[in-house]
Amino acid sequence: MPDRVYGGRTAADRRAERRQRLLDAGLELFGTEGYVATSIERLCSAAGVSTRNFYEEFTGREALLTALHDMVLERALKAVADAFARAENEPLALRIELAVRAYIATTAEDRRWARLSYVEIVGVSETVERHRLAWRERWVAFLVAEARRAVEHGEAMSRDFHLSAVALIGAVNELVYHWAVGDHRIPLDDVIAEIVRIATVTLTGP
């Protein structure tokens, strides 16, 4: 049957708006007060929806958390890929710096995204950990591919980059986690500079 229109909006439009309000509420509450402190009732109140509406969109808080995590990391992956593409003919050191800045700008410049992506997502449950580690493997594959491209261009020595990529991701996560939970007393530019240094050594070292 055709989707009926009420007040100029279809049922699909209204449902999409409810889902977006829940995502916005999740980002705000998870990103400021924390996942553990945020109940479904509080999410629904902040979003202006019923609990029935919540369960029409998400199976529970974990599903909302992982949906938000997917949103920011999909954007980050695109931002980093675009940075590498725009600087394709630039020296590797510059490409690394631009890519790191693109990643951090996407995941950490908004402190709510930083807390959600580096603090609240960690250790929630086995299901959420599998989700988080699956993303890590995606990033490992992406970094290894970029390292191999650098080898082809004569900018890095050929070797197995898998463990180096895992180590780099761990360094990024720990540094931004440290920044996020430390009341942001360290300038984010200092964190970026350290990540750029580590990434450059990781990709160009023997």
Side-chain angles (χ1 to χ4, degrees), residues 13-56:
D13 290 337
R14 293 192 297 275
R15 181 167 180 176
E17 289 172 7
R18 288 197 301 266
R19 182 180 177 85
Q20 187 58 54
R21 291 202 301 272
L22 283 165
L23 289 166
D24 292 343
L27 173 60
E28 178 63 24
L29 293 172
F30 294 160
T32 57
E33 300 183 25
Y35 175 82
V36 173
T38 302
S39 66
I40 288 175
E41 290 73 20
R42 291 196 65 202
L43 288 164
C44 291
S45 177
V49 304
S50 68
T51 54
R52 179 177 64 83
N53 290 151
F54 179 93
Y55 284 110
E56 287 174 347

Side-chain angles (χ1 to χ4, degrees), residues 27 30-32 69 72 103-122 173 175-181 184 188:
L27 173 60
F30 294 160
T32 57
H69 191 235
V72 69
Y103 180 82
I104 299 301
T106 305
T107 62
E109 280 197 342
D110 184 323
R111 294 181 180 186
R112 299 171 303 169
W113 281 121
R115 179 167 175 177
L116 186 145
S117 301
Y118 297 98
V119 181
E120 300 302 325
I121 197 70
V122 179
N173 288 342
L175 282 168
V176 183
Y177 178 99
H178 179 69
W179 172 81
V181 301
H184 313 92
L188 189 57

Side-chain angles (χ1 to χ4, degrees), residues 15 51 57 67 86 97 104 122 166 202:
R15 181 167 180 176
T51 54
E57 302 302 327
R86 287 194 303 271
E97 180 175 358
I104 299 301
V122 179
V166 173
T202 298

Side-chain angles (χ1 to χ4, degrees), residues 147-164:
R148 288 173 178 164
R149 187 172 291 111
V151 171
E152 292 172 1
H153 292 169
E155 297 175 300
M157 295 176 61
S158 180
R159 59 184 176 85
D160 186 347
F161 288 98
H162 184 270
L163 289 180
S164 297

Side-chain angles (χ1 to χ4, degrees), residues 65-80:
L65 179 67
T66 55
L68 286 163
H69 191 235
D70 280 340
M71 284 175 58
V72 69
L73 289 191
E74 290 287 359
R75 289 203 300 262
L77 193 61
K78 183 180 186 305
V80 172

